[in-house]
Amino acid sequence: MAEARIGLIGLGTMGAALALNIAEKGFPVAVWNRTAQVTRDFAANAGDLAPQVIPTESLAGLVAAIRPPRAIILMVPAGDAVDQQIAALTPLLGPDDLIIDAGNANFHDTDRRAAAVGGARFLGMGVSGGEEGARHGPAIMGGGARADWDSVAEVREAIAARAEDGTPCAAWMGEGGAGHFVKTVHNGIEYADMQMIAEVYGLMRDGMGMGAAAIGDVFARWDQGVLRSFLIGISATVARTIDPESGAPLLDVIVDAAGQKGTGRWTAVEAQHLAAPVPVIEAAVMARNVSARREERAAGLVRFGAGPQPLTLAEGDLEQALIAGKILCYAQGFAMIRAAGGQFGWALDLPGIARVWRAGCIIRSDMLNDMARALAQDADRNLILAPLFAARIEAALPALRRVVTAGIAAGHALPALVAGLGWFDLMRTARGTANMTQGQRDFFGMHGFDRLDGRDLHHGPWAGAR
Ligand code: 6PG
């Protein structure tokens, strides 16, 4: 008997949490996992929610359990697994049935799948918030045909996080891969936020000799102010946590090599294609890659000697540096989204995106409320020029400069903070230095240049100089 409102394939951490979220909101959910025992265990452990969970042991069984027109969420690892799952599923579906890829897909794949999936409809849905978000309310970024997005409005709005004003943090971003594109930029910003926090942590640990618990206390204080956010909050908790095995601060026993699944890199690569610079995100991706090269770093220390040296910085300066860095990073991220809208023909709603990110997702923060308001006033203006953020940058900039210059002088690696500052200084330079670049290009390649005086001499008199 077809009794499920929706289906879900893939009962890994995120899929299982999302299925329970759906069930809890009162929607019967049919579930299937490639390994049947995983499905059975999931259903057996669903507790009070078990009556809403319909375990199935085959794809055909899953399809049969869902009321038509069917909606089926895929929560399988991004990449080939998604293509394989779609190929296996589509022969069992009708033209009104809907496949929803809720993994961290590359948006180019989503565009391709949306165009290629025959015999069914297709949505690409970015879901953020980790396991906790998936279970109790993620932020949801949808892409595909608007009518398909609307067809799952009831379930989507029930399971999404809610902002303080009660609005569900779920929005349609545009056709095709728009939802996964916005989720990718979200993750790029996530990398950058995390890297800047890590850089400031490094200054406190290696420069100021502070222990993990004291650093945790600093983050906890900042979590009461302008920086209030999920990532600052968990940084306080991570720093304060004691390792049950050794009794030492947990941070001190974690290997300093960061993993990644690729979304940050995709953001950086796509930004390059769009000529919409996101240097803070690029620096964060670079730092993760360097972090993984532990042996080379160790060899670098042996050859070049002592790493970061002691320094003294005011806690308030570190906080302000992070505030400035965060604003600069988000200004870059939103500018990239703006550029993508033009490039891919998506009517991307920038204030709407900031609103979706206010709750449920990993980069949720109080500051996103202000960003949503600033973008609502003028979505085409760079965020650094919005009055509130211009004033905040002005106030925080001296501290960012003090932190960066002191840090660099003492040999600390601060690639993300430095990248933010470098971008900002370029962004407020009316007479830049690219005239030199243009002169060089014309010298060696006759590429030509424009003249400030408007005369139409487009090449330099290089004949005698070559
Ligand atoms: C989220 C997260 C989530 C996951 C990313 C990051 O928004 O819930 O971004 O999607 O944590 O995949 O993963 P990596 O750090 O491994 O790239």
Side-chain angles (χ1 to χ4, degrees), residues 200-243:
V200 170
Y201 155 70
L203 288 168
M204 289 191 271
R205 185 190 67 183
D206 303 329
M208 296 159 70
M210 291 169 65
I215 295 173
D217 292 346
V218 171
F219 287 136
R221 280 194 286 280
W222 293 350
D223 199 31
Q224 304 302 313
V226 176
L227 287 172
R228 188 175 170 77
S229 58
F230 173 73
L231 283 171
I232 289 284
I234 65 164
S235 302
T237 306
V238 169
R240 285 165 154 176
T241 299
I242 297 296
D243 172 32

Side-chain angles (χ1 to χ4, degrees), residues 273-341:
H273 285 307
L274 290 164
V278 290
V280 184
I281 296 174
E282 287 170 14
V285 176
M286 177 277 285
R288 282 205 195 188
N289 288 330
V290 173
S291 80
R293 297 168 175 259
R294 295 182 70 213
E295 282 178 22
E296 273 180 81
R297 288 192 283 123
L301 181 65
V302 170
R303 172 61 184 83
F304 298 108
Q309 299 300 302
L311 48 63
T312 310
L313 285 164
E315 183 182 317
D317 269 8
L318 290 170
E319 181 183 20
Q320 291 298 316
L322 216 42
I323 291 172
K326 187 173 174 99
I327 296 170
L328 300 174
C329 163
Y330 280 66
Q332 294 161 13
F334 280 114
M336 176 183 173
I337 294 175
R338 199 178 287 119

